Amino acid sequence: MKKRLLAALFAFSAFVYAQSDKNISFEFSSVTDFAYYPKADYKSGNRHFAPITGVYDGAELQETLKADCIIPVPFSDNFLFADNKLILEGALALTPVSVTPKAKISFTPVAFLNFSAGANISAAWKFLGIKSLACYDPTEGEYVQQTPFKTYRYLAWFCSTLMFDAAAIWPGDWHHIIAVASWEINYQGLLNAQDDDELFKFHSDGGLSKGAGYESNYILGYQMPSKLSLVGVKLQFTGALSDYFSDSAYYSKFDGDFMSINIAGLANYDFDEKNSIVVLVEFGSRRSFAENHDDLEDEPLLSKKGREWYFRRIGCSFTHKF
């Protein structure tokens, strides 16, 4: 199997190199992500909305350094194939509580279709009381921080993306009504955990489990030839492909394959050719439980009842190209 996979990769690489115009280029950039979370206390019951109850419930900061190798692969002069390319990307993401090396490969066979795959591995530590990589102990009813640089969280994924631009059939600088749909299959887990069969928490996301999952994103936007280059709406669905803990004596009522739904408005502003920022305002959904509770650590032992909507965050992502 390994020999066949290596042979296929070699054949694909040889094909891409033969088709490429040899004008390989490199691009280096940094991406600074920041998110602010207001407080919305949990409410029990069926489907409902949880209003904002406090000014602050958390913040996230991440700096990512990226290096891209861009290989043009123009199959023909036709507009569908002229800008085809293969991108090899390496990145390093740093937060106050974790470090994550990343690798990604992206291929655009036609103008409206992209395939990508990648993997990353994270080491994380406890900081100012924040448990950044922790396994759930049902006997204690809390997440237990794992040993940094001994236990790692890994994630591998494959994604396909369809893209449509109205300007392709309705030419004009102000006719760029765009639609993007992406579908991702991923697999995550822990290396060297004290018990990798337990629920775990990574950064601010709790109730995670090892195994396959999915993420789908849908964006409808309007692109403009101005500093404010894009405004749009994003819809996101994420979840596990199966409830790994459905037969567990502890977590049988937790609903391990619950699907989270996030809805966001977004805008992109280009300061110049090298600097841009994306601002996002997002509403999200999370499990609602039959029992009252105050903290994320209480949830794995509760009984999921419905879906709770709430104002999730305000985020921004600043990109600088070197």
Side-chain angles (χ1 to χ4, degrees):
M1 184 65 181
K2 291 183 178 179
K3 290 182 178 180
R4 291 180 180 178
L5 180 59
L6 290 173
L9 289 173
F10 178 79
F12 176 74
S13 301
F15 172 76
V16 168
Y17 183 78
Q19 295 293 329
S20 70
D21 60 7
K22 312 304 187 295
N23 293 322
I24 298 174
S25 62
F26 294 88
E27 187 175 282
F28 301 93
S29 61
S30 68
V31 181
T32 305
D33 297 309
F34 175 77
Y36 158 73
Y37 297 82
K39 186 173 180 58
D41 287 335
Y42 303 103
K43 298 174 63 178
S44 62
N46 293 316
R47 185 174 300 180
H48 58 268
F49 182 80
I52 294 175
T53 55
V55 175
Y56 176 80
D57 194 41
E60 292 180 333
L61 178 65
Q62 177 174 276
E63 178 69 24
T64 303
L65 302 175
K66 297 170 56 180
D68 294 339
C69 175
I70 303 170
I71 306 172
V73 191
F75 295 153
S76 75
D77 293 332
N78 187 288
F79 76 96
L80 288 175
F81 305 100
D83 294 327
N84 295 355
K85 54 193 171 185
L86 177 72
I87 300 178
L88 307 177
E89 178 184 302
L92 182 66
L94 302 169
T95 78
V97 294
S98 66
V99 57
T100 305
K102 300 180 178 183
K104 174 183 174 182
I105 181 171
S106 174
F107 180 56
T108 306
V110 291
F112 57 84
L113 179 63
N114 175 267
F115 296 105
S116 58
N120 49 294
I121 188 166
S122 302
W125 49 88
K126 190 174 182 179
F127 179 68
L128 297 178
I130 300 172
K131 301 174 184 177
S132 54
L133 183 57
C135 289
Y136 195 77
D137 183 348
T139 61
E140 297 294 332
E142 65 177 13
Y143 286 99
V144 179
Q145 176 68 36
Q146 300 297 288
T147 305
F149 297 101
K150 178 183 177 182
T151 301
Y152 300 87
R153 182 253 192 173
Y154 63 85
L155 175 70
W157 54 270
F158 172 81
C159 181
S160 59
T161 303
L162 282 172
M163 301 161 284
F164 172 77
D165 187 345
I169 56 177
W170 183 31
D173 291 341
W174 293 91
H175 298 170
H176 291 279
I177 301 171
I178 63 170
V180 180
S182 67
W183 301 272
E184 175 188 308
I185 299 295
N186 55 60
Y187 191 94
Q188 69 173 337
L190 300 178
L191 294 176
N192 303 323
Q194 295 176 6
D195 188 350
D196 65 354
D197 285 335
E198 292 295 344
L199 289 171
F200 69 91
K201 175 179 179 287
F202 180 66
H203 288 176
S204 60
D205 295 324
L208 304 176
S209 64
K210 73 173 183 180
Y214 63 89
E215 177 179 316
S216 57
N217 291 278
Y218 305 90
I219 298 175
L220 180 64
Y222 180 53
Q223 191 171 338
M224 299 166 283
S226 62
K227 293 288 187 179
L228 180 62
S229 59
L230 176 69
V231 292
V233 178
K234 177 182 177 183
L235 181 62
Q236 181 185 64
F237 302 89
T238 58
L241 287 176
S242 63
D243 188 348
Y244 187 76
F245 297 105
S246 59
D247 297 326
S248 169
Y250 295 108
Y251 313 121
S252 60
K253 299 179 180 180
F254 178 66
D255 189 9
D257 58 354
F258 176 80
M259 179 177 68
S260 296
I261 305 173
N262 298 321
I263 304 172
L266 57 88
N268 184 89
Y269 187 86
D270 297 320
F271 297 99
D272 51 43
E273 292 184 355
K274 292 188 175 183
N275 299 284
S276 64
I277 189 170
V278 176
V279 178
L280 175 145
V281 178
E282 184 176 73
F283 289 84
S285 68
R286 58 195 179 194
R287 294 174 181 88
S288 175
F289 296 94
E291 305 89 349
N292 291 319
H293 72 293
D294 299 316
D295 193 87
L296 181 71
E297 300 205 0
D298 300 329
E299 294 186 355
L301 304 182
L302 303 181
S303 303
K304 183 255 181 179
K305 184 72 173 178
R307 182 180 299 274
E308 180 173 85
W309 291 92
Y310 67 109
F311 182 82
R312 185 167 184 250
R313 63 176 177 171
I314 299 174
C316 63
S317 181
F318 177 78
T319 299
H320 172 73
K321 297 179 181 180
F322 295 101

